[in-house]
Amino acid sequence: MQGLITKSTGSWYQVQTPAGKRIDCRIKGKFRTKGITTTNPLAVGDIVDFEMEPDQETGVITNLQQRKNYIIRKSINLSKQGQIIAANLDQAMLVVTLASPRTSLGFIDRFLVTAEAYSIPAMLIYNKVDLFSDEGLEILADYKAVYEKIGYPCYEVSALEGTNIEKVQELLKGKVTLFSGHSGVGKSSLINALLPDLDLRTHQVSDWSDKGMHTTTFAEMFELPQGGFIIDTPGIRELGVIDIEKQELSHFFPEMRQRMNQCRFNNCRHINEPGCAVLEAVEEGEIELSRYESYLSIYNGNDTRS
Ligand SMILES: Nc1nc2c(ncn2[C@@H]2O[C@H](COP(=O)(O)OP(=O)(O)OP(=O)(O)O)[C@@H](O)[C@H]2O)c(=O)[nH]1
Ligand SMILES: [Mg+2]
Ligand SMILES: [Zn+2]
């Protein structure tokens, strides 16, 4: 039988059959992801083959079907290993907030690079707009200008007040969508606003200074009445980029990709080479400095496979 992993809690996986039945399954044997080592062999969104255990309500997963794509990050403890956040995605929504907590541009860029690496369309959802002061609204306008210019749609919403929730509903229709972002940005609250019947656990305390707090602890996939699925994930504090070659990195910045062929050297790293079209564009303000800094930071960090 074939099924879709809708929840993973470590050793157990919830598998949904085509008929919509959900079965708790364990893993038998080894599952490998080509080219990388991962801390989790299977992830939400994976399509697997499974068998029922004799005389039991539980099943055993025997095979992983080839993934169309996935979002991966560097594992926190084992830096050589990756953790697959979710697989087989049609799009990814990065939930961003400018207050309590504030999402940094570097974090956004790391996420976008990861999505680009697997050709997953990404967009930015600015939540908690009900909290924004005038200054916050100015920062929002700056962020939007940076990202819309290079092709990432931006939407401002409030899970609390229901602002633009219908707009997000439309974007989700018929698609598998990942919700990612820092802890406390309101991913689960947004999903609750989109699917009021779910009543997911969200953080109730108003003080968000406690960074160690994670309310959602496992990734889980929910089916939408209008067709499609949304995936709620635990918040991530840092997103280490993994599985990208240094010389490929600029391909995953659309505004750099677009200018690459204009560099004098075809192996240009866009760091200090003469005749570099990317550096020229940064100087002229056509490429945002913050984006270029993110490029350098990923390039120079231990965040790439060299
Ligand atoms: N003012 C305001 N507060 C919000 C909004 N959305 C969420 N919150 C609050 O933000 C806090 C965190 O929300 P969660 O939905 O638990 O955040 P999360 O991203 O799922 O967090 P993790 O599960 O830890 O990753 C809660 O106290 C929510 O009530 C919003 O639009 N406006
Ligand atoms: Mg949550
Ligand atoms: Zn160059």
Side-chain angles (χ1 to χ4, degrees):
M1 280 186 288
Q2 222 174 62
L4 168 71
I5 297 186
T6 50
K7 187 176 183 175
S8 100
T9 59
S11 45
W12 285 92
Y13 296 89
Q14 188 180 62
V15 176
Q16 181 170 318
T17 66
K21 204 175 162 205
R22 291 186 165 193
I23 295 158
D24 289 324
C25 292
R26 286 179 296 181
I27 294 186
K28 202 172 91 185
K30 286 207 160 49
F31 300 90
R32 293 191 193 285
T33 304
K34 220 176 125 199
I36 42 163
T37 13
T38 58
T39 49
N40 56 334
L42 300 175
V44 166
D46 272 333
I47 308 284
V48 294
D49 299 327
F50 71 100
E51 292 160 4
M52 293 307 291
E53 293 191 273
D55 310 317
Q56 308 252 342
E57 297 290 297
T58 54
V60 174
I61 296 170
T62 55
N63 184 42
L64 167 66
Q65 300 282 330
Q66 170 117 46
R67 292 179 177 123
K68 169 170 96 174
N69 57 37
Y70 48 86
I71 293 270
I72 188 169
R73 68 153 168 161
K74 194 150 67 174
S75 165
I76 318 157
N77 306 318
L78 305 153
S79 62
K80 288 266 149 55
Q81 295 198 7
Q83 185 203 358
I84 298 183
I85 296 177
N88 298 320
L89 305 164
D90 293 319
Q91 58 187 4
M93 291 187 173
L94 184 64
V95 184
V96 169
T97 48
L98 300 183
S100 64
R102 176 151 170 189
T103 309
S104 73
L105 293 166
F107 179 84
I108 296 176
D109 292 336
R110 278 159 198 273
F111 185 85
L112 295 176
V113 162
T114 308
E116 286 287 336
Y118 294 94
S119 311
I120 300 166
M123 51 197 100
L124 303 177
I125 306 290
Y126 299 90
N127 188 32
K128 307 198 189 183
V129 287
D130 57 282
L131 291 181
F132 290 9
S133 58
D134 286 348
E135 194 203 339
L137 291 171
E138 272 171 35
I139 299 171
L140 172 70
D142 291 345
Y143 271 51
K144 282 179 72 169
V146 171
Y147 292 103
E148 282 179 339
K149 188 168 121 190
I150 51 174
Y152 298 107
C154 294
Y155 302 93
E156 55 235 63
V157 305
S158 166
L160 193 75
E161 295 188 340
T163 316
N164 281 337
I165 294 300
E166 277 166 38
K167 180 90 216 163
V168 179
Q169 292 277 21
E170 268 169 51
L171 299 165
L172 298 172
K173 208 168 165 183
K175 293 190 170 148
V176 177
T177 306
L178 173 75
F179 277 64
S180 191
H182 287 318
S183 186
V185 294
K187 297 177 294 298
S188 300
S189 304
L190 264 173
I191 293 177
N192 276 336
L194 294 158
L195 288 169
D197 292 344
L198 268 181
D199 202 17
L200 291 178
R201 225 162 73 83
T202 57
H203 198 82
Q204 293 306 336
V205 180
S206 54
D207 179 11
W208 259 94
S209 56
D210 184 4
K211 288 231 171 134
M213 187 64 93
H214 289 267
T215 308
T216 304
T217 44
F218 301 108
E220 186 164 4
M221 197 171 197
F222 305 100
E223 198 156 5
L224 296 162
Q226 70 264 41
F229 293 87
I230 35 185
I231 302 173
D232 191 15
T233 57
I236 39 183
R237 196 186 302 182
E238 284 165 51
L239 188 78
V241 174
I242 194 171
D243 201 29
I244 292 177
E245 309 281 350
K246 276 192 180 197
Q247 57 271 34
E248 275 191 350
L249 182 60
S250 58
H251 300 212
F252 306 129
F253 284 78
E255 70 275 52
M256 294 175 107
R257 184 166 65 218
Q258 192 199 332
R259 291 177 169 90
M260 242 157 28
N261 293 336
Q262 295 155 31
C263 293
R264 187 178 306 161
F265 304 112
N266 61 14
N267 60 351
C268 188
R269 298 166 305 157
H270 324 300
I271 291 178
N272 54 12
E273 290 83 351
C276 171
V278 168
L279 285 172
E280 267 165 37
V282 174
E283 261 156 45
E284 277 156 33
E286 286 164 19
I287 288 182
E288 208 61 44
L289 188 58
S290 65
R291 291 277 296 165
Y292 182 66
E293 282 169 352
S294 291
Y295 170 77
L296 287 182
S297 150
I298 302 173
Y299 193 97
N300 292 324
N302 302 319
D303 273 331
T304 40
R305 232 173 25 172
S306 45

PDB file of all heavy atoms in Angstrom, residues 60-82:
ATOM      1  N   VAL A  60       4.098  -0.924   8.959  1.00  0.00           N
ATOM      2  CA  VAL A  60       5.542  -0.848   8.823  1.00  0.00           C
ATOM      3  C   VAL A  60       5.864  -0.229   7.462  1.00  0.00           C
ATOM      4  O   VAL A  60       5.387  -0.701   6.431  1.00  0.00           O
ATOM      5  CB  VAL A  60       6.179  -2.255   8.922  1.00  0.00           C
ATOM      6  CG1 VAL A  60       7.669  -2.181   8.636  1.00  0.00           C
ATOM      7  CG2 VAL A  60       5.939  -2.856  10.297  1.00  0.00           C
ATOM      8  N   ILE A  61       6.684   0.821   7.473  1.00  0.00           N
ATOM      9  CA  ILE A  61       7.086   1.475   6.227  1.00  0.00           C
ATOM     10  C   ILE A  61       8.253   0.703   5.625  1.00  0.00           C
ATOM     11  O   ILE A  61       9.246   0.447   6.296  1.00  0.00           O
ATOM     12  CB  ILE A  61       7.471   2.944   6.481  1.00  0.00           C
ATOM     13  CG1 ILE A  61       6.251   3.719   6.981  1.00  0.00           C
ATOM     14  CG2 ILE A  61       8.024   3.592   5.206  1.00  0.00           C
ATOM     15  CD1 ILE A  61       6.564   5.107   7.496  1.00  0.00           C
ATOM     16  N   THR A  62       8.105   0.330   4.354  1.00  0.00           N
ATOM     17  CA  THR A  62       9.128  -0.510   3.739  1.00  0.00           C
ATOM     18  C   THR A  62       9.897   0.194   2.631  1.00  0.00           C
ATOM     19  O   THR A  62      10.958  -0.251   2.228  1.00  0.00           O
ATOM     20  CB  THR A  62       8.476  -1.774   3.133  1.00  0.00           C
ATOM     21  OG1 THR A  62       7.437  -1.343   2.235  1.00  0.00           O
ATOM     22  CG2 THR A  62       7.889  -2.654   4.213  1.00  0.00           C
ATOM     23  N   ASN A  63       9.361   1.281   2.125  1.00  0.00           N
ATOM     24  CA  ASN A  63      10.030   1.934   0.990  1.00  0.00           C
ATOM     25  C   ASN A  63       9.643   3.406   0.903  1.00  0.00           C
ATOM     26  O   ASN A  63       8.512   3.784   1.195  1.00  0.00           O
ATOM     27  CB  ASN A  63       9.649   1.213  -0.308  1.00  0.00           C
ATOM     28  CG  ASN A  63      10.372   1.777  -1.510  1.00  0.00           C
ATOM     29  OD1 ASN A  63      11.563   2.069  -1.444  1.00  0.00           O
ATOM     30  ND2 ASN A  63       9.644   1.971  -2.597  1.00  0.00           N
ATOM     31  N   LEU A  64      10.620   4.206   0.501  1.00  0.00           N
ATOM     32  CA  LEU A  64      10.392   5.637   0.283  1.00  0.00           C
ATOM     33  C   LEU A  64      10.375   5.918  -1.212  1.00  0.00           C
ATOM     34  O   LEU A  64      11.309   5.566  -1.923  1.00  0.00           O
ATOM     35  CB  LEU A  64      11.520   6.447   0.945  1.00  0.00           C
ATOM     36  CG  LEU A  64      11.641   7.932   0.572  1.00  0.00           C
ATOM     37  CD1 LEU A  64      10.433   8.725   1.054  1.00  0.00           C
ATOM     38  CD2 LEU A  64      12.924   8.524   1.151  1.00  0.00           C
ATOM     39  N   GLN A  65       9.302   6.507  -1.696  1.00  0.00           N
ATOM     40  CA  GLN A  65       9.238   6.890  -3.108  1.00  0.00           C
ATOM     41  C   GLN A  65      10.101   8.128  -3.335  1.00  0.00           C
ATOM     42  O   GLN A  65      10.204   8.981  -2.464  1.00  0.00           O
ATOM     43  CB  GLN A  65       7.786   7.201  -3.504  1.00  0.00           C
ATOM     44  CG  GLN A  65       6.826   6.034  -3.322  1.00  0.00           C
ATOM     45  CD  GLN A  65       6.929   5.005  -4.433  1.00  0.00           C
ATOM     46  OE1 GLN A  65       7.252   5.341  -5.566  1.00  0.00           O
ATOM     47  NE2 GLN A  65       6.660   3.750  -4.097  1.00  0.00           N
ATOM     48  N   GLN A  66      10.680   8.197  -4.506  1.00  0.00           N
ATOM     49  CA  GLN A  66      11.544   9.320  -4.860  1.00  0.00           C
ATOM     50  C   GLN A  66      10.882  10.664  -4.569  1.00  0.00           C
ATOM     51  O   GLN A  66       9.726  10.891  -4.909  1.00  0.00           O
ATOM     52  CB  GLN A  66      11.843   9.221  -6.351  1.00  0.00           C
ATOM     53  CG  GLN A  66      12.527  10.426  -6.920  1.00  0.00           C
ATOM     54  CD  GLN A  66      13.905  10.092  -7.448  1.00  0.00           C
ATOM     55  OE1 GLN A  66      14.082   9.087  -8.148  1.00  0.00           O
ATOM     56  NE2 GLN A  66      14.864  10.903  -7.103  1.00  0.00           N
ATOM     57  N   ARG A  67      11.663  11.557  -3.921  1.00  0.00           N
ATOM     58  CA  ARG A  67      11.116  12.879  -3.596  1.00  0.00           C
ATOM     59  C   ARG A  67      11.220  13.822  -4.790  1.00  0.00           C
ATOM     60  O   ARG A  67      12.214  13.828  -5.477  1.00  0.00           O
ATOM     61  CB  ARG A  67      11.910  13.494  -2.449  1.00  0.00           C
ATOM     62  CG  ARG A  67      11.747  12.797  -1.144  1.00  0.00           C
ATOM     63  CD  ARG A  67      12.598  13.460  -0.059  1.00  0.00           C
ATOM     64  NE  ARG A  67      12.360  12.789   1.206  1.00  0.00           N
ATOM     65  CZ  ARG A  67      13.324  12.231   1.952  1.00  0.00           C
ATOM     66  NH1 ARG A  67      14.580  12.285   1.572  1.00  0.00           N
ATOM     67  NH2 ARG A  67      13.008  11.624   3.081  1.00  0.00           N
ATOM     68  N   LYS A  68      10.200  14.632  -4.942  1.00  0.00           N
ATOM     69  CA  LYS A  68      10.213  15.671  -5.971  1.00  0.00           C
ATOM     70  C   LYS A  68      11.169  16.792  -5.534  1.00  0.00           C
ATOM     71  O   LYS A  68      11.929  17.332  -6.312  1.00  0.00           O
ATOM     72  CB  LYS A  68       8.782  16.184  -6.115  1.00  0.00           C
ATOM     73  CG  LYS A  68       8.569  17.412  -6.924  1.00  0.00           C
ATOM     74  CD  LYS A  68       7.083  17.639  -7.160  1.00  0.00           C
ATOM     75  CE  LYS A  68       6.507  18.623  -6.132  1.00  0.00           C
ATOM     76  NZ  LYS A  68       5.114  19.003  -6.381  1.00  0.00           N
ATOM     77  N   ASN A  69      11.135  17.122  -4.263  1.00  0.00           N
ATOM     78  CA  ASN A  69      12.007  18.152  -3.684  1.00  0.00           C
ATOM     79  C   ASN A  69      11.893  18.058  -2.168  1.00  0.00           C
ATOM     80  O   ASN A  69      11.127  17.245  -1.645  1.00  0.00           O
ATOM     81  CB  ASN A  69      11.602  19.559  -4.162  1.00  0.00           C
ATOM     82  CG  ASN A  69      10.151  19.890  -3.844  1.00  0.00           C
ATOM     83  OD1 ASN A  69       9.628  19.519  -2.797  1.00  0.00           O
ATOM     84  ND2 ASN A  69       9.494  20.590  -4.742  1.00  0.00           N
ATOM     85  N   TYR A  70      12.643  18.877  -1.473  1.00  0.00           N
ATOM     86  CA  TYR A  70      12.499  18.967  -0.020  1.00  0.00           C
ATOM     87  C   TYR A  70      13.173  20.231   0.472  1.00  0.00           C
ATOM     88  O   TYR A  70      13.961  20.853  -0.235  1.00  0.00           O
ATOM     89  CB  TYR A  70      13.080  17.744   0.692  1.00  0.00           C
ATOM     90  CG  TYR A  70      14.470  17.333   0.250  1.00  0.00           C
ATOM     91  CD1 TYR A  70      15.595  17.901   0.805  1.00  0.00           C
ATOM     92  CD2 TYR A  70      14.640  16.354  -0.731  1.00  0.00           C
ATOM     93  CE1 TYR A  70      16.867  17.521   0.391  1.00  0.00           C
ATOM     94  CE2 TYR A  70      15.901  15.965  -1.151  1.00  0.00           C
ATOM     95  CZ  TYR A  70      17.013  16.557  -0.579  1.00  0.00           C
ATOM     96  OH  TYR A  70      18.263  16.183  -0.996  1.00  0.00           O
ATOM     97  N   ILE A  71      12.833  20.617   1.691  1.00  0.00           N
ATOM     98  CA  ILE A  71      13.522  21.722   2.361  1.00  0.00           C
ATOM     99  C   ILE A  71      14.363  21.095   3.452  1.00  0.00           C
ATOM    100  O   ILE A  71      13.861  20.310   4.271  1.00  0.00           O
ATOM    101  CB  ILE A  71      12.519  22.733   2.973  1.00  0.00           C
ATOM    102  CG1 ILE A  71      11.739  23.475   1.882  1.00  0.00           C
ATOM    103  CG2 ILE A  71      13.259  23.712   3.883  1.00  0.00           C
ATOM    104  CD1 ILE A  71      12.360  24.766   1.371  1.00  0.00           C
ATOM    105  N   ILE A  72      15.647  21.419   3.417  1.00  0.00           N
ATOM    106  CA  ILE A  72      16.570  20.804   4.373  1.00  0.00           C
ATOM    107  C   ILE A  72      17.319  21.901   5.104  1.00  0.00           C
ATOM    108  O   ILE A  72      17.504  23.003   4.590  1.00  0.00           O
ATOM    109  CB  ILE A  72      17.557  19.883   3.615  1.00  0.00           C
ATOM    110  CG1 ILE A  72      18.401  19.068   4.586  1.00  0.00           C
ATOM    111  CG2 ILE A  72      18.434  20.662   2.631  1.00  0.00           C
ATOM    112  CD1 ILE A  72      19.194  17.950   3.936  1.00  0.00           C
ATOM    113  N   ARG A  73      17.728  21.612   6.319  1.00  0.00           N
ATOM    114  CA  ARG A  73      18.605  22.543   7.023  1.00  0.00           C
ATOM    115  C   ARG A  73      19.691  21.762   7.724  1.00  0.00           C
ATOM    116  O   ARG A  73      19.560  20.550   7.933  1.00  0.00           O
ATOM    117  CB  ARG A  73      17.809  23.362   8.013  1.00  0.00           C
ATOM    118  CG  ARG A  73      17.281  22.556   9.166  1.00  0.00           C
ATOM    119  CD  ARG A  73      17.138  23.484  10.330  1.00  0.00           C
ATOM    120  NE  ARG A  73      16.389  22.867  11.398  1.00  0.00           N
ATOM    121  CZ  ARG A  73      16.436  23.323  12.632  1.00  0.00           C
ATOM    122  NH1 ARG A  73      17.167  24.354  12.917  1.00  0.00           N
ATOM    123  NH2 ARG A  73      15.746  22.729  13.570  1.00  0.00           N
ATOM    124  N   LYS A  74      20.715  22.481   8.085  1.00  0.00           N
ATOM    125  CA  LYS A  74      21.810  21.837   8.790  1.00  0.00           C
ATOM    126  C   LYS A  74      21.333  21.455  10.177  1.00  0.00           C
ATOM    127  O   LYS A  74      20.709  22.257  10.879  1.00  0.00           O
ATOM    128  CB  LYS A  74      22.979  22.815   8.878  1.00  0.00           C
ATOM    129  CG  LYS A  74      24.246  22.167   9.275  1.00  0.00           C
ATOM    130  CD  LYS A  74      25.443  22.882   8.684  1.00  0.00           C
ATOM    131  CE  LYS A  74      25.636  24.271   9.249  1.00  0.00           C
ATOM    132  NZ  LYS A  74      26.854  24.888   8.779  1.00  0.00           N
ATOM    133  N   SER A  75      21.595  20.224  10.545  1.00  0.00           N
ATOM    134  CA  SER A  75      21.197  19.763  11.864  1.00  0.00           C
ATOM    135  C   SER A  75      21.922  20.571  12.938  1.00  0.00           C
ATOM    136  O   SER A  75      23.081  20.954  12.762  1.00  0.00           O
ATOM    137  CB  SER A  75      21.537  18.280  11.979  1.00  0.00           C
ATOM    138  OG  SER A  75      21.501  17.885  13.308  1.00  0.00           O
ATOM    139  N   ILE A  76      21.252  20.841  14.043  1.00  0.00           N
ATOM    140  CA  ILE A  76      21.821  21.730  15.059  1.00  0.00           C
ATOM    141  C   ILE A  76      23.033  21.093  15.732  1.00  0.00           C
ATOM    142  O   ILE A  76      24.055  21.724  15.926  1.00  0.00           O
ATOM    143  CB  ILE A  76      20.780  22.074  16.153  1.00  0.00           C
ATOM    144  CG1 ILE A  76      19.417  22.349  15.508  1.00  0.00           C
ATOM    145  CG2 ILE A  76      21.233  23.258  16.976  1.00  0.00           C
ATOM    146  CD1 ILE A  76      18.249  22.151  16.431  1.00  0.00           C
ATOM    147  N   ASN A  77      22.912  19.837  16.058  1.00  0.00           N
ATOM    148  CA  ASN A  77      23.986  19.204  16.820  1.00  0.00           C
ATOM    149  C   ASN A  77      25.052  18.575  15.934  1.00  0.00           C
ATOM    150  O   ASN A  77      26.226  18.618  16.247  1.00  0.00           O
ATOM    151  CB  ASN A  77      23.409  18.137  17.739  1.00  0.00           C
ATOM    152  CG  ASN A  77      22.311  18.697  18.612  1.00  0.00           C
ATOM    153  OD1 ASN A  77      22.442  19.798  19.124  1.00  0.00           O
ATOM    154  ND2 ASN A  77      21.232  17.957  18.753  1.00  0.00           N
ATOM    155  N   LEU A  78      24.634  18.001  14.845  1.00  0.00           N
ATOM    156  CA  LEU A  78      25.566  17.307  13.963  1.00  0.00           C
ATOM    157  C   LEU A  78      25.687  18.113  12.680  1.00  0.00           C
ATOM    158  O   LEU A  78      24.905  17.949  11.762  1.00  0.00           O
ATOM    159  CB  LEU A  78      25.038  15.898  13.667  1.00  0.00           C
ATOM    160  CG  LEU A  78      24.752  15.056  14.904  1.00  0.00           C
ATOM    161  CD1 LEU A  78      23.686  14.024  14.636  1.00  0.00           C
ATOM    162  CD2 LEU A  78      26.021  14.388  15.399  1.00  0.00           C
ATOM    163  N   SER A  79      26.692  18.988  12.637  1.00  0.00           N
ATOM    164  CA  SER A  79      26.719  19.967  11.554  1.00  0.00           C
ATOM    165  C   SER A  79      26.948  19.344  10.178  1.00  0.00           C
ATOM    166  O   SER A  79      26.685  19.961   9.164  1.00  0.00           O
ATOM    167  CB  SER A  79      27.762  21.035  11.825  1.00  0.00           C
ATOM    168  OG  SER A  79      29.038  20.434  11.878  1.00  0.00           O
ATOM    169  N   LYS A  80      27.449  18.123  10.138  1.00  0.00           N
ATOM    170  CA  LYS A  80      27.671  17.490   8.833  1.00  0.00           C
ATOM    171  C   LYS A  80      26.376  16.864   8.308  1.00  0.00           C
ATOM    172  O   LYS A  80      26.322  16.396   7.189  1.00  0.00           O
ATOM    173  CB  LYS A  80      28.760  16.402   8.939  1.00  0.00           C
ATOM    174  CG  LYS A  80      30.161  16.969   9.113  1.00  0.00           C
ATOM    175  CD  LYS A  80      30.871  17.098   7.764  1.00  0.00           C
ATOM    176  CE  LYS A  80      31.864  18.247   7.700  1.00  0.00           C
ATOM    177  NZ  LYS A  80      32.884  18.249   8.746  1.00  0.00           N
ATOM    178  N   GLN A  81      25.396  16.820   9.165  1.00  0.00           N
ATOM    179  CA  GLN A  81      24.149  16.166   8.759  1.00  0.00           C
ATOM    180  C   GLN A  81      23.042  17.185   8.529  1.00  0.00           C
ATOM    181  O   GLN A  81      23.057  18.280   9.071  1.00  0.00           O
ATOM    182  CB  GLN A  81      23.705  15.172   9.843  1.00  0.00           C
ATOM    183  CG  GLN A  81      24.688  14.033   9.980  1.00  0.00           C
ATOM    184  CD  GLN A  81      24.089  12.845  10.696  1.00  0.00           C
ATOM    185  OE1 GLN A  81      22.899  12.807  10.981  1.00  0.00           O
ATOM    186  NE2 GLN A  81      24.904  11.871  10.980  1.00  0.00           N
ATOM    187  N   GLY A  82      22.099  16.740   7.724  1.00  0.00           N
ATOM    188  CA  GLY A  82      20.973  17.607   7.437  1.00  0.00           C
ATOM    189  C   GLY A  82      19.711  17.095   8.097  1.00  0.00           C
ATOM    190  O   GLY A  82      19.612  15.918   8.452  1.00  0.00           O
TER     191      GLY A  82
END
